[in-house]
Amino acid sequence: ETGVTQTPRHLVMGMTNKKSLKCEQHLGHNAMYWYKQSAKKPLELMFVYSLEERVENNSVPSRFSPECPNSSHLFLHLHTLQPEDSALYLCASSQGELGSSNYNEQFFGPGTRLTVL
Amino acid sequence: GQNIDQPTEMTATEGAIVQINCTYQTSGFNGLFWYQQHAGEAPTFLSYNVLDGLEEKGRFSSFLSRSKGYSYLLLKELQMKDSASYLCAVGDSNYQLIWGAGTKLIIKP
């Protein structure tokens, strides 16, 4: 596989469930991102990992918990979500962070469409 | 606060030219990006401007004026496959990308 992959592509969960989203990048990049995309709203940056260390949190609710075990994999653990958390969750990767000399554009995965009942 | 403004929706005719504008107010500036996103798909990179002026890449061009906090994406010889949302994003002083809500471009035959 090439590029950035995400699983599952669709997820329906209840407010009491625990689930995890997975992202994998095959580009050799060292920065990975989680974004939330709601209809007709700007992309919201949730988390940034650079060289497997979290560098940005953006005051995301604690019911979202990221995990980056290595530079190729990124997880978003979900628990006790609310209906307003229903959205498209996009993962992206880049070589370097924005502002670093080796930064290049972000490559996005296809997203996980999450519905919270 | 930080803000990126772009039109919600635009309509154009196949073969024509369309200009999508983006204005921004951010704490600092570290480049402006344009991405294309087809319905149900991932955003894909189109262009990056960090200096004033026009960057041309095939049918697509992007312009930046930092003093005016303004950019546009110009699409020429429109094709039906150009129907998509176009996202403007600006790198702020913390080197984070601030995103606009996107412009949905509808191409009619």
Side-chain angles (χ1 to χ4, degrees):
Chain A
E1 293 199 62
T2 58
V4 182
T5 59
Q6 290 185 244
T7 55
R9 294 293 309 275
H10 300 272
L11 178 63
V12 179
M13 59 186 290
M15 288 190 284
T16 58
N17 292 157
K18 290 185 181 181
K19 297 287 184 182
S20 295
L21 309 185
K22 179 183 176 181
C23 174
E24 187 171 357
Q25 59 96 1
H26 309 269
L27 300 167
H29 289 167
N30 53 28
M32 297 187 76
Y33 311 77
W34 277 118
Y35 285 95
K36 176 183 178 182
Q37 187 175 38
S38 301
K40 300 185 179 180
K41 289 186 178 180
L43 280 171
E44 300 173 46
L45 177 64
M46 300 177 73
F47 301 103
V48 179
Y49 277 84
S50 179
L51 299 174
E52 300 161 44
E53 288 190 12
R54 189 163 75 188
V55 297
E56 184 59 52
N57 173 311
N58 277 306
S59 301
V60 176
S62 60
R63 56 186 184 267
F64 295 92
S65 175
E67 178 189 0
C68 187
N70 55 61
S71 60
S72 299
H73 293 85
L74 186 64
F75 294 90
L76 187 63
H77 303 301
L78 317 171
H79 63 97
T80 59
L81 294 192
Q82 304 298 311
E84 60 263 29
D85 296 323
S86 298
L88 181 68
Y89 288 84
L90 290 164
C91 173
S93 71
S94 67
Q95 184 67 305
E97 292 178 65
L98 181 62
S100 63
S101 59
N102 65 334
Y103 176 79
N104 69 0
E105 70 268 22
Q106 293 180 20
F107 291 77
F108 285 82
T112 295
R113 174 68 62 184
L114 174 67
T115 302
V116 181
L117 302 177
Chain B
Q2 308 205 91
N3 197 46
I4 310 286
D5 285 318
Q6 49 181 135
T8 303
E9 186 174 299
M10 298 181 70
T11 301
T13 304
E14 190 177 16
I17 299 173
V18 71
Q19 177 175 310
I20 302 174
N21 296 324
C22 171
T23 58
Y24 62 90
Q25 293 174 307
T26 56
S27 58
F29 178 82
N30 283 292
L32 186 143
F33 299 78
W34 283 98
Y35 279 77
Q36 180 190 60
Q37 186 176 23
H38 286 99
E41 298 184 12
T44 55
F45 172 81
L46 287 178
S47 68
Y48 171 63
N49 294 69
V50 66
L51 299 176
D52 289 353
L54 188 67
E55 295 279 344
E56 296 186 78
K57 190 185 294 184
R59 294 188 299 114
F60 293 7
S61 303
S62 56
F63 172 83
L64 174 66
S65 169
R66 289 172 296 171
S67 62
K68 295 181 179 179
Y70 168 71
S71 172
Y72 68 72
L73 180 69
L74 191 71
L75 292 76
K76 303 176 184 177
E77 301 169 16
L78 286 170
Q79 302 175 10
M80 297 304 294
K81 67 178 182 179
D82 297 330
S83 292
S85 288
Y86 291 85
L87 312 178
C88 174
V90 174
D92 71 3
S93 57
N94 293 320
Y95 297 99
Q96 297 302 325
L97 279 181
I98 309 301
W99 294 81
T103 298
K104 182 178 181 180
L105 177 63
I106 299 168
I107 310 297
K108 295 185 174 180

